[in-house]
Amino acid sequence: MTELVASGIPYRDTFWNIPMWARVFVYVGGTAAIAVFAWGSWQRVAVWLEGGPERRTDRIPERLGLVLTQVLGQARILSQAYPGIMHAIVFWGFLALFIGTVLATIDYDVTLPLLHVKLLKGNFYLLYELVLDMFGLFFVVGLGMACWRRFVKRPSRIEPAGQFAYALLILFVINATGFVMEACRLAVVKPAWAAWSPVGYVLGQAMLAVGLGEGALRGTHLSIWVFHAAIAFVFIALIPQSYFMHLVTTPLNIFFSKLGPRGALRKIENIEEAESLGVGKFEEFSWKRRLDFDACVECGRCQDVCPAHLSGSALNPKRVIVKLKRYMLDGDTRPLHGEVIQADELWACTTCMACVQECPAHIDIVDTIVDLRRFLALSEGALPSTAPLALQNIQRAGNPWGLPPTERLKWAEGLDVPVLEEGKRVEYLYWVGCSASYDRRNQSIARSVVKILKKAGVSFAVMAEERCHGEVARRLGEEYLYQTVTTENVENIKKYAFDKVITHCPHCFNTIKNEYPQFDGNFEVLHHSVVIADLVRSGRVKPTKATDQTVAFHDSCYLGRYNGIFEAPRETARSVPGLRLIEMPRNRERGLCCGGGGGQMWMETPAKKRVNLIRVEEALESKPDVVGVACPFCLAMVDLGRKVAGAEETLQVKDISELVAESLE
Ligand code: SF4
Ligand code: SF4
């Protein structure tokens, strides 16, 4: 050290102006704070571990990649401009200051005494000072943005609660006192490299300008240093009991995220003998679900995008997750169903996945809602409204309307549609689905798909034994029925020889592609938008008849958010000459649900304004001639919505296959 002083090389003088008693205080206090933090954290982990098992330790490199992009890169957080930038600079500022403190500790307490190596010296030290000063400044800016948003702008999705005021205040005080200490030191020592700490330097010059002498500067430095250390220790010790616990829970929850298809719900294994069917008591949640609840930062992003909440129904996903979090942390013992979570909240969910898409903590909100639904459906038999009838119809007749299975192929009359025969191979099994098989309006979708496939010379056939794929039963929590129909469907499909399954329904697509593998049904499944776009691209289908229509495309949740297919339906629509494709304000990942998913097609849930009407009003603002869809349920919901909105004469709704089929010679 003495050589460094003599040589004039810049270096960090860790305990400048600090007497021995204060040094002892910092080591004793720091150790105590870390011990309290470790104990508090363990208490939280113990609460999670009381939950049931769930395997989340596979695919470690992928999990680390998620932490890298979502925690360090703040990718999802930054998808919203103001709150994203605000959080990212607070986080990065905090991280830089934390790394800086750790580096200083290693430098003074490890490398210097053990290896006689001073890390923080020379150009590296100058860079260290500059980076820390700049990140400290960003940190203050971010905290200011947070205060402005939470206490002045006050968006309805967040509460200006005391815990947040305390959180912001403590961070500000730690950071500001750090700058004051630095300023005092630079003002007294006046090192040649002082300008490498620009904030401290300017502040120090200001202190000198107002006439503070060395004695006052040294006294201020020492008292602020002790205060800074004390408040930092309180901060560390209180992390497990405070809002700051999300510094631990969010990265952990992201690491243990659900990988694989987002749209695949958990299978209840050995359902005949299973002890618990869904979640009836809090103890039945797995450890991961408990970590989910604890990771909630109460940001309200889920609430903002939830169609059920927008429609004024009983459901607010943020409220559901926060209630479960408080229930867990308070050791509440009230009955979960009926007292804490109301059935109306659960049944209002459209399973659109918008909340999961937005949640910065990667919480599996839909899986939790379905687990709670499963208990109501399977253990209590408490399905709402007309849902029981739809499920009975699926069980009895293989479709939710209860129409005769013998009429399933009536839509194909006169079209010479090939039917699968054992021993005869085709390229595609065309899975038509219940809606286009029985619903008069939607039969036109199946006829359009057939017209396109025939025009392209594609080898395909439908399956005479086709029945409802059961997805609606699974989303309603009736896992038993789902497993029964799925097992039967998989057995039937396996009798035939084909290369791929094609379906125009995103619900059929999602369940056959992502959920049938749980039942040994591994098929390559393609949505019709992907196949048609490919046929047009390769020139096998040539839409030639021009149209003069403006089409606003509405994304299906089960195609887009569930399976990441956004471009193919747009490409398909754009292939029609003269068609002008426009976007509604909420589109792609942020498209608004039609209101028909999660069993909503088959029941009435109380709401102030129907989701499909909200969506149609949004479409009307864009002034299209047609709403383009790629899902028969979206078609039915938008069709109903336009009638309610009184736009039957001015607004049409068409599937992309209909748009292309109309354009074929
Ligand atoms: S899935 Fe959709 S409807 Fe259900 S809670 Fe999430 S955002 Fe709301
Ligand atoms: S569930 Fe996710 S999006 Fe909703 S409030 Fe909690 S952290 Fe925010």
Side-chain angles (χ1 to χ4, degrees), residues 61-91:
E62 214 173 314
R63 295 184 182 283
L64 291 173
L66 262 181
V67 172
L68 210 64
T69 52
Q70 300 296 335
V71 180
L72 297 182
Q74 299 276 286
R76 188 175 287 181
I77 299 260
L78 282 165
S79 68
Q80 293 189 6
Y82 187 98
I85 293 170
M86 174 203 86
H87 188 274
I89 56 180
V90 169
F91 173 74

PDB file of all heavy atoms in Angstrom, residues 61-91:
ATOM      1  N   PRO A  61     -29.242 -26.060 -18.805  1.00  0.00           N
ATOM      2  CA  PRO A  61     -28.721 -24.952 -19.625  1.00  0.00           C
ATOM      3  C   PRO A  61     -29.841 -24.009 -20.093  1.00  0.00           C
ATOM      4  O   PRO A  61     -29.673 -22.791 -20.100  1.00  0.00           O
ATOM      5  CB  PRO A  61     -28.074 -25.671 -20.826  1.00  0.00           C
ATOM      6  CG  PRO A  61     -27.795 -27.055 -20.332  1.00  0.00           C
ATOM      7  CD  PRO A  61     -28.861 -27.376 -19.345  1.00  0.00           C
ATOM      8  N   GLU A  62     -31.009 -24.601 -20.452  1.00  0.00           N
ATOM      9  CA  GLU A  62     -32.141 -23.778 -20.890  1.00  0.00           C
ATOM     10  C   GLU A  62     -32.622 -22.884 -19.737  1.00  0.00           C
ATOM     11  O   GLU A  62     -32.978 -21.721 -19.928  1.00  0.00           O
ATOM     12  CB  GLU A  62     -33.276 -24.717 -21.309  1.00  0.00           C
ATOM     13  CG  GLU A  62     -34.105 -24.203 -22.460  1.00  0.00           C
ATOM     14  CD  GLU A  62     -35.089 -25.257 -22.911  1.00  0.00           C
ATOM     15  OE1 GLU A  62     -34.699 -26.442 -23.074  1.00  0.00           O
ATOM     16  OE2 GLU A  62     -36.249 -24.917 -23.065  1.00  0.00           O
ATOM     17  N   ARG A  63     -32.629 -23.449 -18.550  1.00  0.00           N
ATOM     18  CA  ARG A  63     -33.082 -22.693 -17.376  1.00  0.00           C
ATOM     19  C   ARG A  63     -32.111 -21.537 -17.089  1.00  0.00           C
ATOM     20  O   ARG A  63     -32.529 -20.418 -16.790  1.00  0.00           O
ATOM     21  CB  ARG A  63     -33.190 -23.613 -16.154  1.00  0.00           C
ATOM     22  CG  ARG A  63     -34.252 -24.663 -16.316  1.00  0.00           C
ATOM     23  CD  ARG A  63     -34.453 -25.536 -15.102  1.00  0.00           C
ATOM     24  NE  ARG A  63     -35.464 -26.532 -15.415  1.00  0.00           N
ATOM     25  CZ  ARG A  63     -36.775 -26.291 -15.462  1.00  0.00           C
ATOM     26  NH1 ARG A  63     -37.206 -25.084 -15.169  1.00  0.00           N
ATOM     27  NH2 ARG A  63     -37.622 -27.241 -15.785  1.00  0.00           N
ATOM     28  N   LEU A  64     -30.807 -21.818 -17.216  1.00  0.00           N
ATOM     29  CA  LEU A  64     -29.825 -20.757 -16.982  1.00  0.00           C
ATOM     30  C   LEU A  64     -29.963 -19.668 -18.049  1.00  0.00           C
ATOM     31  O   LEU A  64     -29.832 -18.480 -17.758  1.00  0.00           O
ATOM     32  CB  LEU A  64     -28.411 -21.338 -16.987  1.00  0.00           C
ATOM     33  CG  LEU A  64     -28.093 -22.248 -15.781  1.00  0.00           C
ATOM     34  CD1 LEU A  64     -26.728 -22.910 -15.949  1.00  0.00           C
ATOM     35  CD2 LEU A  64     -28.131 -21.455 -14.470  1.00  0.00           C
ATOM     36  N   GLY A  65     -30.263 -20.102 -19.279  1.00  0.00           N
ATOM     37  CA  GLY A  65     -30.471 -19.143 -20.366  1.00  0.00           C
ATOM     38  C   GLY A  65     -31.639 -18.213 -20.056  1.00  0.00           C
ATOM     39  O   GLY A  65     -31.586 -17.007 -20.321  1.00  0.00           O
ATOM     40  N   LEU A  66     -32.695 -18.783 -19.467  1.00  0.00           N
ATOM     41  CA  LEU A  66     -33.864 -17.975 -19.097  1.00  0.00           C
ATOM     42  C   LEU A  66     -33.484 -16.933 -18.048  1.00  0.00           C
ATOM     43  O   LEU A  66     -33.904 -15.780 -18.123  1.00  0.00           O
ATOM     44  CB  LEU A  66     -34.937 -18.885 -18.492  1.00  0.00           C
ATOM     45  CG  LEU A  66     -36.068 -19.359 -19.391  1.00  0.00           C
ATOM     46  CD1 LEU A  66     -37.019 -20.229 -18.593  1.00  0.00           C
ATOM     47  CD2 LEU A  66     -36.830 -18.188 -19.996  1.00  0.00           C
ATOM     48  N   VAL A  67     -32.683 -17.359 -17.080  1.00  0.00           N
ATOM     49  CA  VAL A  67     -32.256 -16.422 -16.032  1.00  0.00           C
ATOM     50  C   VAL A  67     -31.425 -15.298 -16.664  1.00  0.00           C
ATOM     51  O   VAL A  67     -31.586 -14.118 -16.335  1.00  0.00           O
ATOM     52  CB  VAL A  67     -31.459 -17.159 -14.933  1.00  0.00           C
ATOM     53  CG1 VAL A  67     -30.848 -16.178 -13.945  1.00  0.00           C
ATOM     54  CG2 VAL A  67     -32.362 -18.146 -14.201  1.00  0.00           C
ATOM     55  N   LEU A  68     -30.600 -15.698 -17.615  1.00  0.00           N
ATOM     56  CA  LEU A  68     -29.744 -14.709 -18.280  1.00  0.00           C
ATOM     57  C   LEU A  68     -30.573 -13.662 -19.026  1.00  0.00           C
ATOM     58  O   LEU A  68     -30.351 -12.459 -18.886  1.00  0.00           O
ATOM     59  CB  LEU A  68     -28.838 -15.462 -19.270  1.00  0.00           C
ATOM     60  CG  LEU A  68     -27.475 -14.862 -19.551  1.00  0.00           C
ATOM     61  CD1 LEU A  68     -26.640 -14.864 -18.291  1.00  0.00           C
ATOM     62  CD2 LEU A  68     -26.778 -15.663 -20.650  1.00  0.00           C
ATOM     63  N   THR A  69     -31.558 -14.128 -19.796  1.00  0.00           N
ATOM     64  CA  THR A  69     -32.335 -13.173 -20.601  1.00  0.00           C
ATOM     65  C   THR A  69     -33.401 -12.462 -19.769  1.00  0.00           C
ATOM     66  O   THR A  69     -33.622 -11.271 -19.930  1.00  0.00           O
ATOM     67  CB  THR A  69     -33.026 -13.878 -21.783  1.00  0.00           C
ATOM     68  OG1 THR A  69     -33.765 -14.996 -21.270  1.00  0.00           O
ATOM     69  CG2 THR A  69     -32.051 -14.351 -22.820  1.00  0.00           C
ATOM     70  N   GLN A  70     -34.062 -13.208 -18.888  1.00  0.00           N
ATOM     71  CA  GLN A  70     -35.206 -12.624 -18.195  1.00  0.00           C
ATOM     72  C   GLN A  70     -34.835 -11.900 -16.908  1.00  0.00           C
ATOM     73  O   GLN A  70     -35.511 -10.952 -16.527  1.00  0.00           O
ATOM     74  CB  GLN A  70     -36.247 -13.715 -17.872  1.00  0.00           C
ATOM     75  CG  GLN A  70     -36.781 -14.420 -19.093  1.00  0.00           C
ATOM     76  CD  GLN A  70     -37.565 -13.478 -20.012  1.00  0.00           C
ATOM     77  OE1 GLN A  70     -38.099 -12.472 -19.587  1.00  0.00           O
ATOM     78  NE2 GLN A  70     -37.622 -13.806 -21.295  1.00  0.00           N
ATOM     79  N   VAL A  71     -33.774 -12.354 -16.238  1.00  0.00           N
ATOM     80  CA  VAL A  71     -33.390 -11.665 -15.000  1.00  0.00           C
ATOM     81  C   VAL A  71     -32.315 -10.625 -15.331  1.00  0.00           C
ATOM     82  O   VAL A  71     -32.540  -9.428 -15.175  1.00  0.00           O
ATOM     83  CB  VAL A  71     -32.888 -12.658 -13.931  1.00  0.00           C
ATOM     84  CG1 VAL A  71     -32.500 -11.913 -12.661  1.00  0.00           C
ATOM     85  CG2 VAL A  71     -33.961 -13.687 -13.616  1.00  0.00           C
ATOM     86  N   LEU A  72     -31.181 -11.092 -15.842  1.00  0.00           N
ATOM     87  CA  LEU A  72     -30.116 -10.130 -16.133  1.00  0.00           C
ATOM     88  C   LEU A  72     -30.488  -9.221 -17.302  1.00  0.00           C
ATOM     89  O   LEU A  72     -30.237  -8.025 -17.262  1.00  0.00           O
ATOM     90  CB  LEU A  72     -28.803 -10.863 -16.425  1.00  0.00           C
ATOM     91  CG  LEU A  72     -28.251 -11.681 -15.254  1.00  0.00           C
ATOM     92  CD1 LEU A  72     -26.936 -12.333 -15.616  1.00  0.00           C
ATOM     93  CD2 LEU A  72     -28.068 -10.803 -14.012  1.00  0.00           C
ATOM     94  N   GLY A  73     -31.116  -9.793 -18.338  1.00  0.00           N
ATOM     95  CA  GLY A  73     -31.485  -9.000 -19.515  1.00  0.00           C
ATOM     96  C   GLY A  73     -32.799  -8.262 -19.354  1.00  0.00           C
ATOM     97  O   GLY A  73     -33.122  -7.391 -20.152  1.00  0.00           O
ATOM     98  N   GLN A  74     -33.606  -8.626 -18.355  1.00  0.00           N
ATOM     99  CA  GLN A  74     -34.895  -7.964 -18.087  1.00  0.00           C
ATOM    100  C   GLN A  74     -35.819  -7.969 -19.316  1.00  0.00           C
ATOM    101  O   GLN A  74     -36.575  -7.009 -19.552  1.00  0.00           O
ATOM    102  CB  GLN A  74     -34.648  -6.511 -17.630  1.00  0.00           C
ATOM    103  CG  GLN A  74     -33.846  -6.388 -16.344  1.00  0.00           C
ATOM    104  CD  GLN A  74     -34.704  -6.508 -15.096  1.00  0.00           C
ATOM    105  OE1 GLN A  74     -35.435  -5.617 -14.748  1.00  0.00           O
ATOM    106  NE2 GLN A  74     -34.617  -7.648 -14.452  1.00  0.00           N
ATOM    107  N   ALA A  75     -35.715  -9.026 -20.146  1.00  0.00           N
ATOM    108  CA  ALA A  75     -36.401  -9.034 -21.440  1.00  0.00           C
ATOM    109  C   ALA A  75     -37.908  -8.794 -21.317  1.00  0.00           C
ATOM    110  O   ALA A  75     -38.448  -7.895 -21.960  1.00  0.00           O
ATOM    111  CB  ALA A  75     -36.125 -10.350 -22.156  1.00  0.00           C
ATOM    112  N   ARG A  76     -38.589  -9.594 -20.504  1.00  0.00           N
ATOM    113  CA  ARG A  76     -40.053  -9.426 -20.437  1.00  0.00           C
ATOM    114  C   ARG A  76     -40.425  -8.118 -19.744  1.00  0.00           C
ATOM    115  O   ARG A  76     -41.384  -7.449 -20.127  1.00  0.00           O
ATOM    116  CB  ARG A  76     -40.683 -10.613 -19.706  1.00  0.00           C
ATOM    117  CG  ARG A  76     -42.186 -10.586 -19.780  1.00  0.00           C
ATOM    118  CD  ARG A  76     -42.812 -11.812 -19.177  1.00  0.00           C
ATOM    119  NE  ARG A  76     -42.647 -12.994 -19.989  1.00  0.00           N
ATOM    120  CZ  ARG A  76     -43.132 -14.194 -19.672  1.00  0.00           C
ATOM    121  NH1 ARG A  76     -43.814 -14.336 -18.551  1.00  0.00           N
ATOM    122  NH2 ARG A  76     -42.947 -15.238 -20.446  1.00  0.00           N
ATOM    123  N   ILE A  77     -39.655  -7.745 -18.746  1.00  0.00           N
ATOM    124  CA  ILE A  77     -39.914  -6.486 -18.038  1.00  0.00           C
ATOM    125  C   ILE A  77     -39.898  -5.327 -19.028  1.00  0.00           C
ATOM    126  O   ILE A  77     -40.746  -4.444 -19.003  1.00  0.00           O
ATOM    127  CB  ILE A  77     -38.801  -6.246 -16.983  1.00  0.00           C
ATOM    128  CG1 ILE A  77     -38.778  -7.373 -15.963  1.00  0.00           C
ATOM    129  CG2 ILE A  77     -38.914  -4.867 -16.351  1.00  0.00           C
ATOM    130  CD1 ILE A  77     -39.443  -7.105 -14.663  1.00  0.00           C
ATOM    131  N   LEU A  78     -38.918  -5.361 -19.953  1.00  0.00           N
ATOM    132  CA  LEU A  78     -38.749  -4.250 -20.888  1.00  0.00           C
ATOM    133  C   LEU A  78     -39.796  -4.224 -21.994  1.00  0.00           C
ATOM    134  O   LEU A  78     -39.798  -3.315 -22.817  1.00  0.00           O
ATOM    135  CB  LEU A  78     -37.338  -4.295 -21.487  1.00  0.00           C
ATOM    136  CG  LEU A  78     -36.244  -3.759 -20.549  1.00  0.00           C
ATOM    137  CD1 LEU A  78     -34.873  -4.157 -21.042  1.00  0.00           C
ATOM    138  CD2 LEU A  78     -36.336  -2.245 -20.396  1.00  0.00           C
ATOM    139  N   SER A  79     -40.703  -5.221 -22.005  1.00  0.00           N
ATOM    140  CA  SER A  79     -41.734  -5.206 -23.051  1.00  0.00           C
ATOM    141  C   SER A  79     -42.758  -4.110 -22.796  1.00  0.00           C
ATOM    142  O   SER A  79     -43.598  -3.834 -23.634  1.00  0.00           O
ATOM    143  CB  SER A  79     -42.418  -6.578 -23.143  1.00  0.00           C
ATOM    144  OG  SER A  79     -43.180  -6.799 -21.971  1.00  0.00           O
ATOM    145  N   GLN A  80     -42.727  -3.489 -21.627  1.00  0.00           N
ATOM    146  CA  GLN A  80     -43.576  -2.322 -21.374  1.00  0.00           C
ATOM    147  C   GLN A  80     -42.655  -1.135 -21.120  1.00  0.00           C
ATOM    148  O   GLN A  80     -41.805  -1.190 -20.222  1.00  0.00           O
ATOM    149  CB  GLN A  80     -44.490  -2.568 -20.176  1.00  0.00           C
ATOM    150  CG  GLN A  80     -45.518  -3.648 -20.449  1.00  0.00           C
ATOM    151  CD  GLN A  80     -46.568  -3.753 -19.344  1.00  0.00           C
ATOM    152  OE1 GLN A  80     -46.619  -2.964 -18.429  1.00  0.00           O
ATOM    153  NE2 GLN A  80     -47.408  -4.759 -19.465  1.00  0.00           N
ATOM    154  N   ALA A  81     -42.829  -0.061 -21.905  1.00  0.00           N
ATOM    155  CA  ALA A  81     -41.817   0.999 -21.947  1.00  0.00           C
ATOM    156  C   ALA A  81     -41.507   1.634 -20.582  1.00  0.00           C
ATOM    157  O   ALA A  81     -40.418   1.415 -20.031  1.00  0.00           O
ATOM    158  CB  ALA A  81     -42.233   2.054 -22.957  1.00  0.00           C
ATOM    159  N   TYR A  82     -42.427   2.403 -20.016  1.00  0.00           N
ATOM    160  CA  TYR A  82     -42.074   3.155 -18.804  1.00  0.00           C
ATOM    161  C   TYR A  82     -41.738   2.241 -17.615  1.00  0.00           C
ATOM    162  O   TYR A  82     -40.636   2.325 -17.060  1.00  0.00           O
ATOM    163  CB  TYR A  82     -43.200   4.136 -18.451  1.00  0.00           C
ATOM    164  CG  TYR A  82     -42.844   5.075 -17.315  1.00  0.00           C
ATOM    165  CD1 TYR A  82     -42.400   6.369 -17.575  1.00  0.00           C
ATOM    166  CD2 TYR A  82     -42.924   4.667 -15.985  1.00  0.00           C
ATOM    167  CE1 TYR A  82     -42.057   7.230 -16.534  1.00  0.00           C
ATOM    168  CE2 TYR A  82     -42.579   5.517 -14.941  1.00  0.00           C
ATOM    169  CZ  TYR A  82     -42.154   6.798 -15.217  1.00  0.00           C
ATOM    170  OH  TYR A  82     -41.812   7.635 -14.181  1.00  0.00           O
ATOM    171  N   PRO A  83     -42.673   1.337 -17.240  1.00  0.00           N
ATOM    172  CA  PRO A  83     -42.317   0.492 -16.090  1.00  0.00           C
ATOM    173  C   PRO A  83     -41.113  -0.396 -16.371  1.00  0.00           C
ATOM    174  O   PRO A  83     -40.344  -0.736 -15.468  1.00  0.00           O
ATOM    175  CB  PRO A  83     -43.569  -0.351 -15.840  1.00  0.00           C
ATOM    176  CG  PRO A  83     -44.402  -0.225 -17.057  1.00  0.00           C
ATOM    177  CD  PRO A  83     -44.023   1.051 -17.729  1.00  0.00           C
ATOM    178  N   GLY A  84     -40.931  -0.765 -17.659  1.00  0.00           N
ATOM    179  CA  GLY A  84     -39.811  -1.634 -18.031  1.00  0.00           C
ATOM    180  C   GLY A  84     -38.481  -0.919 -17.830  1.00  0.00           C
ATOM    181  O   GLY A  84     -37.570  -1.436 -17.173  1.00  0.00           O
ATOM    182  N   ILE A  85     -38.381   0.292 -18.391  1.00  0.00           N
ATOM    183  CA  ILE A  85     -37.122   1.052 -18.274  1.00  0.00           C
ATOM    184  C   ILE A  85     -36.869   1.378 -16.803  1.00  0.00           C
ATOM    185  O   ILE A  85     -35.752   1.254 -16.300  1.00  0.00           O
ATOM    186  CB  ILE A  85     -37.184   2.336 -19.139  1.00  0.00           C
ATOM    187  CG1 ILE A  85     -37.226   1.938 -20.622  1.00  0.00           C
ATOM    188  CG2 ILE A  85     -36.016   3.263 -18.860  1.00  0.00           C
ATOM    189  CD1 ILE A  85     -37.536   3.063 -21.574  1.00  0.00           C
ATOM    190  N   MET A  86     -37.929   1.762 -16.116  1.00  0.00           N
ATOM    191  CA  MET A  86     -37.800   2.108 -14.694  1.00  0.00           C
ATOM    192  C   MET A  86     -37.211   0.930 -13.898  1.00  0.00           C
ATOM    193  O   MET A  86     -36.222   1.072 -13.189  1.00  0.00           O
ATOM    194  CB  MET A  86     -39.189   2.461 -14.152  1.00  0.00           C
ATOM    195  CG  MET A  86     -39.260   2.702 -12.683  1.00  0.00           C
ATOM    196  SD  MET A  86     -40.953   2.419 -12.152  1.00  0.00           S
ATOM    197  CE  MET A  86     -40.927   0.650 -11.883  1.00  0.00           C
ATOM    198  N   HIS A  87     -37.822  -0.246 -14.084  1.00  0.00           N
ATOM    199  CA  HIS A  87     -37.364  -1.397 -13.306  1.00  0.00           C
ATOM    200  C   HIS A  87     -35.967  -1.815 -13.725  1.00  0.00           C
ATOM    201  O   HIS A  87     -35.126  -2.151 -12.890  1.00  0.00           O
ATOM    202  CB  HIS A  87     -38.330  -2.579 -13.462  1.00  0.00           C
ATOM    203  CG  HIS A  87     -37.998  -3.716 -12.539  1.00  0.00           C
ATOM    204  ND1 HIS A  87     -37.074  -4.691 -12.873  1.00  0.00           N
ATOM    205  CD2 HIS A  87     -38.419  -4.011 -11.286  1.00  0.00           C
ATOM    206  CE1 HIS A  87     -36.966  -5.538 -11.866  1.00  0.00           C
ATOM    207  NE2 HIS A  87     -37.772  -5.159 -10.891  1.00  0.00           N
ATOM    208  N   ALA A  88     -35.720  -1.780 -15.058  1.00  0.00           N
ATOM    209  CA  ALA A  88     -34.414  -2.248 -15.545  1.00  0.00           C
ATOM    210  C   ALA A  88     -33.287  -1.381 -14.987  1.00  0.00           C
ATOM    211  O   ALA A  88     -32.257  -1.901 -14.554  1.00  0.00           O
ATOM    212  CB  ALA A  88     -34.393  -2.254 -17.071  1.00  0.00           C
ATOM    213  N   ILE A  89     -33.479  -0.044 -14.960  1.00  0.00           N
ATOM    214  CA  ILE A  89     -32.346   0.755 -14.466  1.00  0.00           C
ATOM    215  C   ILE A  89     -32.200   0.654 -12.949  1.00  0.00           C
ATOM    216  O   ILE A  89     -31.089   0.685 -12.439  1.00  0.00           O
ATOM    217  CB  ILE A  89     -32.350   2.229 -14.967  1.00  0.00           C
ATOM    218  CG1 ILE A  89     -33.630   2.942 -14.621  1.00  0.00           C
ATOM    219  CG2 ILE A  89     -32.062   2.323 -16.425  1.00  0.00           C
ATOM    220  CD1 ILE A  89     -33.624   4.394 -15.118  1.00  0.00           C
ATOM    221  N   VAL A  90     -33.300   0.463 -12.247  1.00  0.00           N
ATOM    222  CA  VAL A  90     -33.167   0.242 -10.796  1.00  0.00           C
ATOM    223  C   VAL A  90     -32.435  -1.091 -10.575  1.00  0.00           C
ATOM    224  O   VAL A  90     -31.500  -1.187  -9.778  1.00  0.00           O
ATOM    225  CB  VAL A  90     -34.551   0.222 -10.102  1.00  0.00           C
ATOM    226  CG1 VAL A  90     -34.427  -0.271  -8.662  1.00  0.00           C
ATOM    227  CG2 VAL A  90     -35.171   1.620 -10.105  1.00  0.00           C
ATOM    228  N   PHE A  91     -32.860  -2.116 -11.338  1.00  0.00           N
ATOM    229  CA  PHE A  91     -32.254  -3.439 -11.155  1.00  0.00           C
ATOM    230  C   PHE A  91     -30.773  -3.434 -11.528  1.00  0.00           C
ATOM    231  O   PHE A  91     -29.917  -3.909 -10.777  1.00  0.00           O
ATOM    232  CB  PHE A  91     -33.008  -4.484 -11.985  1.00  0.00           C
ATOM    233  CG  PHE A  91     -32.335  -5.826 -11.977  1.00  0.00           C
ATOM    234  CD1 PHE A  91     -32.390  -6.639 -10.855  1.00  0.00           C
ATOM    235  CD2 PHE A  91     -31.611  -6.270 -13.083  1.00  0.00           C
ATOM    236  CE1 PHE A  91     -31.741  -7.870 -10.830  1.00  0.00           C
ATOM    237  CE2 PHE A  91     -30.964  -7.496 -13.069  1.00  0.00           C
ATOM    238  CZ  PHE A  91     -31.034  -8.293 -11.940  1.00  0.00           C
TER     239      PHE A  91
END
